Amino acid sequence: QVQLVESGGGSVQAGGSLRLSCAASGSTYSRACMAWFRQAPGKEREGVAAINTRGGNTYYADSVKGRFTISQDNAKNTVYLQMNSLKPEDAAMYYCAAGSACSSRLVLSDRIYNYWAQGTQVTVSS
């Protein structure tokens, strides 16, 4: 079992920054791969960024490359999503997720994630 607790959402103007945090507890095996997803009203859930917690490899959706950074602090069992140069289209509910298999082909697919946090709202005003 894995428990995930998110924090750090909020409201920001376009061009601003936010940092999301996801504190994890439980099986380290089951959180070999951790990711951030987002879902805006009326849209499908989208994989934004992922990290292989063992090797440190990171993966990004094209829409956020160069603006978002996923990182981890192993001592704190926490994964972060630093979001810079935010755009109105980045506004969504953001979810942290954990899974035991970190296939590079599927890291941004929600199919490989078994555990999900409660979600945190990000609002970006123009």
Side-chain angles (χ1 to χ4, degrees), residues 4-10 20-22 36-39 45 92-97 115-122:
L4 303 172
V5 178
E6 292 183 28
S7 61
L20 307 182
S21 300
C22 178
W36 290 94
F37 287 77
R38 67 186 181 188
Q39 189 168 22
R45 186 161 56 189
M93 186 72 79
Y94 281 71
Y95 299 90
C96 173
Y115 301 96
W116 294 83
Q118 76 282 5
T120 188
Q121 183 70 43
V122 171

Side-chain angles (χ1 to χ4, degrees), residues 6-22 36 38 48 64 67-71 79-88 90-94 120-125:
E6 292 183 28
S7 61
S11 297
V12 65
Q13 289 191 327
S17 299
L18 283 174
R19 188 177 79 159
L20 307 182
S21 300
C22 178
W36 290 94
R38 67 186 181 188
V48 174
V64 306
R67 300 188 299 120
F68 291 12
T69 302
I70 188 170
S71 62
V79 171
Y80 303 97
L81 185 69
Q82 178 67 44
M83 304 185 293
N84 298 329
S85 302
L86 281 160
K87 304 175 181 180
D90 294 319
M93 186 72 79
Y94 281 71
T120 188
Q121 183 70 43
V122 171
T123 303
V124 184
S125 57

